[in-house]
Amino acid sequence: MTELDVATAAPPALARLPLDAVHRRLGARMAPFAGYEMPLQYEQGIVAETLHTRRLASLFDVSHMGQAILAGARAARALESLTPADLASLSPERTRYTQLLNENGGILDDLLVTRLPGVEERLLLVVNASRKQADFALIRAALPQFDFNPLDRALLALQGPRAASVLGALLPGAEDLPFMGWRAFDFGGAPLFVSRSGYTGEDGFELSLRAEHAEDLARLLLSYEDVAPAGLGARDALRLEAGLPLYGHDLDETTDPVEAGLGWSIGKRRRVEGGFPGFERIRLALEQGPARRRVGLEPQSKAPLREGAELSARDGEAVGHVTSGGFSPTLQRPIAMGYVASNDAKLGATLSAPLRDKRVDVTVAALPFVPHRYFKTPAGKDAR
Amino acid sequence: MTELRYSKDHEYVALDGDLATLGISDYAQSQLGDIVFIELPEVGKKVAKGKEIAVIESVKAASEVYSPVSGEVVEVNPELGEAPALVNDDPLGRGWLIKVRVSDPGECASLMDDAAYSSFLKTI
């Protein structure tokens, strides 16, 4: 068998997560990812961990991601020079999703930006692990007049329909945070940043705290009957089911936010004013529609289609390719996403792709495959 | 119960006369994780030692299975179409992949017995 060699060959220079020992005690199978030894799955396996997240709640260690604070007067306005989001209007304790763009409007990374409370203007950034060095270098070079400090903190994600009741029991008030809201709590005398966000399509939280306190928090959360550990494999299955793009696969420097289906994250003011890299290309794509689109794909086969598979129209013309593909534990069938020429990307259109020595039909489908269940603040409560 | 022989690629063979039952080892299934689809050869297909005979799709990835023996496929496991996870649950039993009429039973001599395979796993 072939894949085994990949899974067992551990290059020496991998970094370890602060909770490495906890993962190993929990029976994790570790695998290299973005320079870290990451828990790929625990004893339950990817299918059971995915289903547990959709039914109850799972704890993920995402400490490999980059966290940093950009501080200084008008820092949000300054960061707009690198991103298309409206960051200047971001209220304290609120989070917004955006992308760092290159001069062609291509995506250098996608990230979350939170405006921290306080008199001084401070932004908390969470970026992808594989891109953090490049992102930090870019921001430092582009915005030298601001304080920019990477944070050495662990990052845990508690995701699933029971996440709010569990976290609320531990940190009263956390269950009332709005979607994309943020608050600092006290955890044993140490600040714990709680953001109501995640990348699974479920309600949930991302929890940032100093590494030395992370094990205590993980143990406490795992002591709840509803909470089980879940690895990178389940996280990937969950985000694909939720139609969420993964950097390095569905997003890269050759894709712009409009064709990637992320136009919603471009601020209204920014569409008019511009002032971010690649504005011309993005303005045109917004006006005329992009030449290609990221779409959901349903292979009409039992075998999953994988990243890289070429997509053809009925007449055989190449019209796109798969950027993420796998098996959906929730739907119990193969699902995929990829880029397809806009003319061929109508919902329900039939394309085809090679699968080893055969061809399979592939139906263009709406995203997400599994509906999002983000928290909605009850009517009458202030959602800001 | 015939003795199992293992390849370094983690396939096993159970040889009974010239009829070999092929599958993947318990170690292999645990490394693959949840198996969701298995592409098996057709009955009658000629297989050669070291050549691909099946593809196992787990949630994460596709992995090729290589034949540890040469011969002709005489039977494929009919249960795996609907229940590929049998390979996870019972790789050496109900999760067998194919049966091959071997052309050279001597090929099995170069494969590892239980003890040798256990030692081999410790070196990985």
Side-chain angles (χ1 to χ4, degrees):
Chain A
M1 313 206 46
T2 44
E3 190 63 27
L4 302 177
D5 305 328
V6 179
T8 51
L14 292 174
R16 291 200 162 187
L17 299 170
L19 293 181
D20 185 85
V22 176
H23 298 309
R24 289 171 198 273
R25 273 202 299 279
L26 288 167
R29 173 126 54 84
M30 308 299 282
F33 180 80
Y36 286 80
E37 264 194 285
M38 297 289 294
L40 178 65
Q41 62 168 78
Y42 300 84
E43 282 169 0
Q44 293 299 308
I46 294 172
V47 169
E49 291 166 23
T50 301
L51 298 178
H52 187 91
T53 312
R54 296 255 180 256
R55 195 167 62 87
L56 297 167
S58 295
L59 184 65
F60 301 83
D61 186 352
V62 289
S63 301
H64 60 312
M65 298 187 79
Q67 303 176 68
I69 289 181
L70 180 72
R74 295 170 65 82
R77 185 67 79 158
L79 190 57
E80 286 189 350
S81 66
L82 302 176
T83 69
D86 182 347
L87 298 175
S89 73
L90 191 57
S91 303
E93 304 195 322
R94 295 308 303 254
T95 299
R96 211 155 269 172
Y97 169 82
T98 189
Q99 307 85 33
L100 291 169
L101 300 179
N102 67 22
E103 286 305 318
N104 301 318
I107 301 173
L108 295 168
D109 198 5
D110 60 339
L111 69 161
L112 290 177
V113 179
T114 302
R115 171 83 193 264
L116 296 178
V119 180
E120 191 195 10
E121 193 166 323
R122 290 183 305 153
L123 301 172
L124 172 63
L125 314 182
V126 179
V127 307
N128 282 299
S130 60
R131 300 293 303 160
K132 64 184 168 188
Q133 306 306 339
D135 292 353
F136 292 174
L138 170 73
I139 293 168
R140 280 200 174 102
L143 309 173
Q145 68 276 38
F146 292 89
D147 286 331
F148 184 75
N149 292 300
L151 301 180
D152 183 22
R153 296 171 74 89
L155 190 65
L156 304 178
L158 183 69
Q159 300 281 301
R162 295 287 173 84
S165 61
V166 167
L167 199 66
L170 201 63
L171 305 169
E175 74 279 12
D176 294 326
L177 274 178
F179 178 58
M180 297 296 261
W182 182 100
R183 199 188 303 169
F185 286 80
D186 176 274
F187 179 70
L192 167 59
F193 301 165
V194 178
S195 158
R196 194 154 206 168
S197 62
Y199 223 57
T200 61
E202 297 295 326
D203 184 20
F205 303 87
E206 292 197 345
L207 309 162
S208 164
L209 73 175
R210 292 285 301 252
E212 61 264 34
H213 303 292
E215 184 164 342
D216 285 345
L217 179 63
R219 283 176 183 285
L220 259 173
L221 291 170
L222 289 169
S223 73
Y224 288 83
E225 204 176 326
D226 287 342
V227 181
L232 214 56
R235 189 173 160 81
D236 191 46
L238 288 157
R239 69 93 196 164
L240 178 55
E241 290 181 343
L244 300 171
L246 180 63
Y247 196 84
H249 300 265
D250 313 296
L251 308 176
D252 61 31
E253 291 184 40
T254 70
T255 55
D256 72 48
V258 180
E259 62 193 11
L262 304 174
W264 57 269
S265 68
I266 303 175
K268 276 189 188 142
R269 173 175 55 82
R270 309 300 314 279
R271 291 168 186 235
V272 180
E273 289 180 6
F276 55 86
F279 173 56
E280 274 310 304
R281 169 171 157 185
I282 287 172
R283 190 179 57 81
L284 275 177
L286 284 168
E287 266 176 30
Q288 302 172 1
R292 58 176 190 164
R293 296 175 191 280
R294 183 172 63 89
V295 294
L297 300 164
E298 294 179 341
Q300 304 300 311
S301 60
K302 283 188 166 183
L305 276 184
R306 304 293 183 179
E307 180 176 356
E310 291 277 337
L311 296 163
S312 306
R314 280 185 190 278
D315 60 7
E317 189 194 355
V319 294
H321 64 284
V322 173
T323 51
S324 284
F327 181 85
S328 163
T330 304
L331 304 173
Q332 289 289 307
R333 59 180 170 83
I335 55 172
M337 63 171 86
Y339 285 87
V340 175
S342 295
N343 288 339
D344 298 282
K346 294 184 185 65
L347 291 186
T350 302
L351 309 175
S352 89
L355 184 68
R356 292 183 276 278
D357 54 349
K358 303 184 189 71
R359 291 200 73 82
V360 296
D361 283 350
V362 181
T363 307
V364 176
L367 294 174
F369 296 104
V370 174
H372 295 165
R373 297 195 292 176
Y374 300 134
F375 178 65
K376 293 187 184 71
T377 302
K381 287 209 176 184
D382 175 23
R384 259 195 300 199
Chain B
M1 179 75 193
T2 52
E3 193 200 0
L4 296 186
R5 294 265 172 175
Y6 294 88
S7 72
K8 285 189 173 175
D9 295 325
H10 310 281
E11 291 91 11
Y12 71 79
V13 180
L15 192 64
D16 182 7
D18 65 351
L19 188 66
T21 302
L22 271 56
I24 65 168
S25 71
D26 187 54
Y27 172 81
Q29 72 75 21
S30 77
Q31 287 294 305
L32 290 178
D34 295 310
I35 292 168
V36 297
F37 178 76
I38 302 172
E39 186 172 292
L40 294 171
E42 284 175 11
V43 169
K45 184 184 164 78
K46 298 275 194 289
V47 299
K49 180 174 175 148
K51 297 292 182 200
E52 179 185 315
I53 45 157
V55 177
I56 297 186
E57 297 267 7
S58 68
V59 177
K60 282 297 288 176
S63 306
E64 286 105 29
V65 180
Y66 302 107
S67 182
V69 291
S70 305
E72 182 182 331
V73 177
V74 294
E75 197 179 341
V76 301
N77 188 337
E79 290 194 280
L80 299 183
E82 285 306 310
L86 278 174
V87 177
N88 289 124
D89 299 338
D90 190 10
L92 307 184
R94 284 180 66 197
W96 61 276
L97 299 178
I98 60 173
K99 293 185 182 178
V100 173
R101 183 83 60 201
V102 300
S103 50
D104 176 11
E107 280 179 343
C108 289
S110 64
L111 299 172
M112 293 174 275
D113 63 13
D114 256 331
Y117 183 61
S118 297
S119 308
F120 172 66
L121 288 182
K122 289 187 186 118
T123 67
I124 295 175

